[in-house]
Amino acid sequence: MRFPAAILLLALTAWPQVRILVKPDSSSGPGARYPTVTACNETPATLRMEGWKFRTRDSSAYTTWMPGLTRSGSGPVQYTQMVPVDQSTMPAGRCSAVQVDYSGTQAAGKDISLYEPQALIKVGSCNATPVYQDPPSLTCSDLITAGDYYGNKCVETGARENRYGGFIATFAGQTQIQAGLPTLPESVGGSVEMKWDPRSLGGPQYMMSLAMVQEFFQVDMRFLAAVAGVEVRFGYVQNGKEYSGSISEIGGFNTDQSGTFSPWELEVTSFDRVMSAYPKFFPGPGDCLNRFPDITSGASCLGKSGDTTAPFYMRTPGLTPTRTGINSPQLANGAVSAALTWYGLYDALVHSTDLYFTKLLAGGKDPRAALSAMTAGYMQGIYSGFADPLKDPNIVDNPSASNLFLTGSGNYRITLFKLLDGISNATAASTACGGAIPIYDASIAFSDVQRFFFGGSGAPGTPAAQGDGGLLLHFDLATEERENLLAALHCAFDRLKGRAPSTAGKDAVSYRYDWLAMLRVAKGMLPDRVRPFPVEHDYRYLMETYSKNPLMASGKPKDAAYPTLDILSPLQNQVMAPGYPKGFPVTVKGSDGSGDVKAEWTLDPQWETWSRADSSGGGQFSFSVPCGSKRYPKPGQKGALWIRVVDGCGNATVEELDFTAHAAALCQDPSGLRNAARGKRENNSRLAKGRASKSGLNSGRVWFETDSSSPGSILVDVRGQKAKQEKF
């Protein structure tokens, strides 16, 4: 069975079970009414469903045993039902443990039927997430292959590693990857002197993975390189023994036999938490985990102690001892998993409204204080109280704020920052920046590109069959989408090969000069990388622990009220002409007593990608639904559109609008040409085909189901730049 977007089930009495959206029945005659509401989540991800709304046309004075019910207006009457905090976490495919019974009396000539049910979903906090630049995707025809694209301009800013606390970085404004190779060793662990030199790994997959994480997820590749250096000395060579290879292999440190995986030494529990928190990046096991309230109760998704899922992503077959190979496609999986592990802490701290974490990111006197807090949480654990120093407003102006956090076992943070500074300083003193330090480069064959995306420790995987490992394990694409991606990569490779100074005349592209372009071509054909609001059990504990005060660290009051949403046009269940080329128009109104709201819409039944509606002023918003959108129904078939209004504190009111596509009007221009936009992704971005093929999940909805002592019931279904590449 496939499970849809968030659903509320609303059960009324005395009528046969039919699916009606706006007016489920037309009651007649006075008498008692006893509808029952049960909240269900049928998206592929855990939701924080804090309640629901519904309306009645006439006053009914409905009451219920559950606290949190409020009403406003007299005709229609708006009811808002909030649920207790301990019942708001809704695992995928699950309904609430309790049903909510309502009682009301319908007077003669009145109608107190429940209609227009809306779900109240928490999708953010009152803290604004720091904004960073995400470089635009490219197509093959956008690629620049001449002029100063292959120049030697310095791209090091000198402060990028400190931007947003030293964790997030971006390649915006760059077409090259300039990573300096330190010539001076770092003293780590007593007498051991080592230097970062990823050439010791015998191939480009590691550096391809680091660049991918910065381009796709905005995690500083130098930071992840330093973490791998602290953990297992991956990509580091011993001074004076440079040609012996990576210390991680010489010393036998790179192994998963102790239950930690990849060069980033990810513990099984941490990895499971990440899959649960970000299921869209782990199709299958992540979806399964999201059907449970926490990773402990979801152990059946993971095999024995989780020891089937972690190896699936991060263990290269055929190696003894078992580990991630030094030039394997599993490095991409380890890099994604490591980035998301750190993001879990980052996201939870950002959304903790009692903390001054976001102020540190914006301009703390100690540019590494925010990263120091994250490192303490990484080493000590979420339940350790590591974030307590962030409650003090004086931390923002403290130039030594990092010292307020424990350094971790073996001076973990001190070593991490030393290695991070070593890579950053080497890049700033590289040959491109007026120094003498060499810049890392490597030749990348197309087989390397194919293995990176499609996996395969031996022969590369294909669109029809993923090999072991590879980036596409994190994106559930249909076969046709995988074929299109491979063709685009081929096109880009053929356009770029042999043109860089380091690959002249070779059937290869350059890591330094060309790999970013290859990644940007792929980025436009992959699902978005937007991370959901943290609702995973442990991360939510962290947020709730540090979000208790009515006033936020910013000094502003928190807003717990959900905005109102009214769909002005069209009405429910109308037959809609395609309205080529813009689509049929929709107008909604949203309001919130404490500030501005935004309106968004989607045809995606899994609620993963939303498009922004245009503001018309006065709280009204408008948008058009193009008939060429993915998941637009075929002529004569029913379709579902979800609309939400979100306020500045991440309170989202969601309602479904059902419609039927016109049976005779095709999606085409006046000359009869089929709309070229058919199949393109909503909001000009690439969407993956739903995860249903692997996870068994369906399009999601929020529905209300009723139960009554009276015979019969009625079901109310609420189913729920592109820019030219910059030159040097």
Side-chain angles (χ1 to χ4, degrees):
M1 177 182 178
R2 298 190 343 152
F3 288 52
I7 300 190
L8 296 174
L9 289 186
L10 197 185
L12 306 182
T13 64
W15 291 276
Q17 188 168 357
V18 295
R19 189 165 301 215
I20 306 175
L21 290 172
V22 177
K23 190 177 182 180
D25 63 80
S26 54
S27 302
S28 60
R33 297 290 182 268
Y34 302 101
T36 299
V37 175
T38 302
C40 300
N41 171 23
E42 296 198 351
T43 67
T46 298
L47 293 176
R48 185 167 166 180
M49 186 185 296
E50 297 198 327
W52 50 81
K53 295 185 180 186
F54 57 82
R55 290 186 171 102
T56 60
R57 286 174 171 76
D58 295 308
S59 180
S60 57
Y62 274 118
T63 59
T64 181
W65 56 268
M66 177 178 279
L69 179 67
T70 58
R71 61 192 295 267
S72 61
S74 57
V77 181
Q78 173 80 69
Y79 286 88
T80 300
Q81 175 70 68
M82 306 304 293
V83 302
V85 172
D86 61 356
Q87 296 179 28
S88 62
T89 298
M90 300 291 296
R94 297 292 184 94
C95 295
S96 58
V98 297
Q99 64 181 19
V100 183
D101 305 309
Y102 295 92
S103 62
T105 302
Q106 180 168 290
K110 301 295 182 179
D111 180 5
I112 64 169
S113 302
L114 277 60
Y115 71 100
E116 291 188 3
Q118 298 171 334
L120 308 181
I121 310 295
K122 190 71 172 175
V123 298
S125 73
C126 298
N127 279 349
T129 302
V131 177
Y132 51 82
Q133 281 188 288
D134 185 10
S137 60
L138 300 171
T139 65
C140 184
S141 61
D142 292 323
L143 300 180
I144 300 169
T145 58
D148 50 4
Y149 174 81
Y150 292 114
N152 197 39
K153 180 181 177 182
C154 178
V155 300
E156 171 60 39
T157 66
R160 182 165 287 141
E161 74 273 20
N162 293 333
R163 197 174 188 186
Y164 305 124
F167 170 61
I168 289 179
T170 174
F171 283 128
Q174 296 180 222
T175 61
Q176 291 183 23
I177 306 168
Q178 295 181 3
L181 298 173
T183 55
L184 296 177
E186 301 287 349
S187 179
V188 178
S191 60
V192 177
E193 291 189 333
M194 64 185 198
K195 297 182 293 187
W196 184 63
D197 191 348
R199 296 174 298 185
S200 62
L201 300 172
Q205 293 289 331
Y206 178 59
M207 292 296 286
M208 292 166 69
S209 300
L210 292 181
M212 172 273 298
V213 167
Q214 182 162 322
E215 177 66 19
F216 286 4
F217 295 92
Q218 286 72 50
V219 173
D220 194 327
M221 62 178 286
R222 294 165 294 187
F223 167 73
L224 279 191
V227 172
V230 176
E231 295 287 356
V232 298
R233 310 297 191 254
F234 200 80
Y236 279 78
V237 297
Q238 190 169 348
N239 192 39
K241 298 181 179 180
E242 288 85 354
Y243 296 100
S244 297
S246 176
I247 299 173
S248 62
E249 311 310 302
I250 298 172
F253 303 127
N254 178 28
T255 173
D256 60 34
Q257 291 185 318
S258 62
T260 53
F261 291 82
S262 85
W264 295 277
E265 291 284 271
L266 301 178
E267 298 177 353
V268 168
T269 300
S270 298
F271 179 64
D272 295 345
R273 182 187 297 128
V274 166
M275 289 193 296
S276 178
Y278 305 108
K280 65 187 292 183
F281 300 115
F282 300 92
D287 296 325
C288 182
L289 278 172
N290 266 255
R291 300 188 187 193
F292 298 90
D294 51 54
I295 58 176
T296 301
S297 57
S300 60
C301 300
L302 307 169
K304 185 178 180 181
S305 300
D307 198 26
T308 56
T309 310
F312 171 75
Y313 284 100
M314 293 179 286
R315 178 181 290 168
T316 304
L319 299 182
T320 304
T322 53
R323 62 190 186 277
T324 301
I326 59 174
N327 189 39
S328 67
Q330 284 79 14
L331 288 167
N333 308 121
V336 170
S337 301
L340 292 174
T341 296
W342 286 87
Y343 256 132
L345 285 166
Y346 176 88
D347 289 339
L349 290 172
V350 162
H351 292 296
S352 295
T353 55
D354 293 347
L355 303 182
Y356 289 84
F357 184 74
T358 56
K359 287 186 174 293
L360 283 179
L361 298 178
K365 292 293 180 63
D366 182 347
R368 288 271 173 83
L371 187 54
S372 296
M374 291 175 61
T375 304
Y378 184 76
M379 294 299 296
Q380 296 174 246
I382 287 175
Y383 295 86
S384 64
F386 75 92
D388 285 349
L390 292 169
K391 295 189 294 185
D392 183 359
N394 296 315
I395 195 172
V396 179
D397 295 322
N398 184 349
S400 302
S402 290
N403 295 332
L404 299 174
F405 303 95
L406 296 179
T407 60
S409 176
N411 283 327
Y412 187 97
R413 187 187 78 227
I414 305 301
T415 304
L416 174 66
F417 287 0
K418 179 184 289 188
L419 298 184
L420 178 55
D421 287 337
I423 300 173
S424 299
N425 293 338
T427 302
S430 70
T431 54
C433 299
I437 291 179
I439 296 174
Y440 174 86
D441 200 0
S443 295
I444 300 175
F446 191 76
S447 60
D448 295 320
V449 176
Q450 192 166 346
R451 289 176 64 232
F452 179 83
F453 286 98
F454 295 89
S457 299
T462 67
Q466 183 78 14
D468 60 275
L471 181 64
L472 294 190
L473 286 180
H474 299 287
F475 300 103
D476 193 5
L477 303 182
T479 300
E480 181 181 0
E481 292 173 307
R482 291 165 61 93
E483 290 171 345
N484 292 339
L485 173 60
L486 184 62
L489 291 170
H490 257 303
C491 179
F493 184 88
D494 290 341
R495 190 176 180 88
L496 297 171
K497 67 180 181 181
R499 295 181 179 272
S502 56
T503 58
K506 297 181 181 179
D507 188 20
V509 297
S510 160
Y511 174 83
R512 172 182 172 179
Y513 296 100
D514 300 319
W515 182 233
L516 262 186
M518 299 286 293
L519 287 173
R520 286 170 182 169
V521 169
K523 184 164 70 171
M525 307 190 73
L526 294 175
D528 68 65
R529 281 88 50 210
V530 176
R531 302 181 312 282
F533 179 67
V535 294
E536 188 275 333
H537 180 271
D538 294 334
Y539 296 140
R540 181 169 178 179
Y541 166 83
L542 184 63
M543 288 187 296
E544 291 178 349
T545 299
Y546 294 108
S547 300
K548 296 183 181 299
N549 296 327
L551 288 179
M552 301 184 294
S554 64
K556 297 179 180 179
K558 285 192 294 190
D559 176 16
Y562 277 77
T564 61
L565 167 61
D566 292 282
I567 301 176
L568 303 181
S569 67
L571 299 177
Q572 290 281 358
N573 296 312
Q574 281 194 301
V575 176
M576 305 305 300
Y580 180 86
K582 291 184 177 180
F584 70 81
V586 179
T587 303
V588 303
K589 186 173 183 177
S591 63
D592 181 71
S594 61
D596 294 334
V597 297
K598 63 180 179 180
E600 299 174 321
W601 65 276
T602 186
L603 290 171
D604 176 14
Q606 298 184 8
W607 291 11
E608 290 184 344
T609 301
W610 295 79
S611 299
R612 191 76 173 261
D614 296 324
S615 174
S616 308
Q620 287 198 14
F621 301 86
S622 60
F623 59 91
S624 295
V625 185
C627 58
S629 301
K630 190 173 183 178
R631 299 187 179 91
Y632 194 93
K634 295 180 180 180
Q637 294 188 355
K638 293 183 180 297
L641 166 71
W642 291 271
I643 303 166
R644 71 182 184 187
V645 173
V646 188
D647 67 17
C649 284
N651 303 312
T653 302
V654 191
E655 184 175 345
E656 178 186 302
L657 174 65
D658 277 18
F659 65 95
T660 299
H662 197 286
L666 297 177
C667 184
Q668 60 187 27
D669 63 22
S671 65
L673 297 177
R674 184 69 63 174
N675 185 349
R678 180 171 293 280
K680 286 189 177 180
R681 302 178 184 281
E682 294 172 285
N683 200 26
N684 296 323
S685 64
R686 294 278 178 174
L687 292 175
K689 184 180 180 182
R691 285 197 289 269
S693 59
K694 293 185 180 179
S695 65
L697 295 177
N698 193 348
S699 57
R701 302 172 300 197
V702 183
W703 37 304
F704 287 99
E705 182 177 69
T706 56
D707 182 59
S708 164
S709 57
S710 302
S713 63
I714 189 162
L715 179 66
V716 182
D717 186 353
V718 194
R719 292 184 297 265
Q721 358 193 309
K722 188 171 75 173
K724 294 292 183 182
Q725 234 177 336
E726 305 91 340
K727 292 183 178 182
F728 287 121

